[in-house]
Amino acid sequence: MDAGSSKSNIRRSKRPWMRPCITITNNKARKNSMKGKEKGNDSIMNYIKKAVIITLFTTLAVMIRPCTAKAETVKGAFTITEGDSNCSYDSNLLTITGDCTVKNTTQGTTSDHIKIDITNDCTVTLAGVNIESSSAAPILINIANDKTLTLKLSEKNTVKATGDNYAGIEKDGDNSGSLIITGEDNGELKATGGTKGAGIGGGKDESGSNITIIRGTVKATGGSGSGAGIGGG
């Protein structure tokens, strides 16, 4: 081609598919699309954050929820933590007829005493009983024929007869039911009879029978005279 020529030797194709393809990008639409995606992502993240926060608060609420204390009922000098319906109190005597847990209401000794009178197998837990009685056995037990009382020891328990003829825990020989004493790892019992009374067993001139100690720390001391540690008075 001559330098001065105004004609072009370039031949343009009349075939449309041979023409260069030109793509026009709508920047505004693209920006709106990106904003939509960002909003969608923000919504997902907000949902996740809320779910995490709710989960954390629920977990904390469960962790710091106060423990529900067992209902306690005060009867005379004693507190019943379980089995209140099996216990009654009158004139310094707590009578127990079924499963229950009992302890002194306040620290120190009491002159109130306990009678356990059962006609069916049951468990009575001593969870911190401290009795010194001069007018009766600190704990008097009557068990129906062929029935068993399990006396479970929890914490330290002390019973002492300061009057003559009474055992610390009195279960006379003519009482044909069985007494089983057992305890938790920290369960202790110290039982002392009055004059001529056993630590655990019979009062004056009474034998003691069907008494079994399985577990726990038990110290039984008979009163002066004929009282045995465990056995007859």
Side-chain angles (χ1 to χ4, degrees):
M1 179 176 68
D2 295 336
S5 176
S6 61
K7 293 182 179 180
S8 172
N9 290 327
I10 299 173
R11 299 178 66 185
R12 298 181 181 276
S13 173
K14 294 182 179 180
R15 299 172 183 175
W17 59 84
M18 296 295 292
R19 293 175 184 172
C21 180
I22 300 174
T23 302
I24 299 175
T25 302
N26 188 332
N27 290 331
K28 184 175 182 181
R30 186 177 180 182
K31 288 180 180 179
N32 289 337
S33 176
M34 293 299 293
K35 286 181 180 180
K37 289 181 179 179
E38 289 175 357
K39 288 181 179 179
N41 290 337
D42 288 344
S43 297
I44 294 172
M45 290 303 297
N46 287 335
Y47 176 81
I48 293 173
K49 288 178 181 178
K50 289 179 180 179
V52 170
I53 291 171
I54 291 171
T55 301
L56 287 174
F57 272 104
T58 302
T59 303
L60 288 172
V62 171
M63 291 175 65
I64 64 176
R65 182 177 58 188
C67 296
T68 302
K70 293 180 179 178
E72 296 187 345
T73 303
V74 176
K75 296 193 175 185
F78 305 105
T79 295
I80 313 302
T81 57
E82 291 181 82
D84 170 66
S85 61
N86 295 323
C87 303
S88 60
Y89 181 85
D90 184 57
S91 302
N92 301 321
L93 175 65
L94 177 70
T95 300
I96 298 172
T97 57
D99 296 343
C100 74
T101 298
V102 59
K103 65 180 180 179
N104 276 34
T105 301
T106 60
Q107 293 183 349
T109 62
T110 178
S111 60
D112 285 6
H113 43 286
I114 296 173
K115 179 181 179 181
I116 303 174
D117 194 354
I118 64 167
T119 57
N120 293 294
D121 296 342
C122 77
T123 298
V124 174
T125 301
L126 303 181
V129 169
N130 192 347
I131 304 171
E132 286 190 11
S133 176
S134 61
S135 60
I139 298 179
L140 176 64
I141 295 175
N142 291 318
I143 308 170
N145 186 33
D146 296 328
K147 302 303 178 182
T148 299
L149 167 65
T150 300
L151 200 60
K152 185 177 180 181
L153 309 177
S154 174
E155 306 297 336
K156 185 176 181 180
N157 301 278
T158 302
V159 291
K160 182 177 181 180
T162 56
D164 295 346
N165 308 324
Y166 300 117
I169 295 180
E170 191 164 313
K171 177 187 178 298
D172 292 333
D174 57 357
N175 192 309
S176 58
S178 297
L179 170 63
I180 295 175
I181 299 176
T182 186
E184 299 176 355
D185 291 339
N186 63 339
E188 296 182 22
L189 171 64
K190 182 178 180 181
T192 304
T195 301
K196 298 183 180 180
I200 302 173
K204 179 185 176 183
D205 298 329
E206 295 287 346
S207 62
S209 63
N210 298 330
I211 300 170
T212 304
I213 298 174
I214 295 177
R215 187 181 178 190
T217 302
V218 178
K219 182 178 180 181
T221 305
S224 59
S226 59
I230 299 175

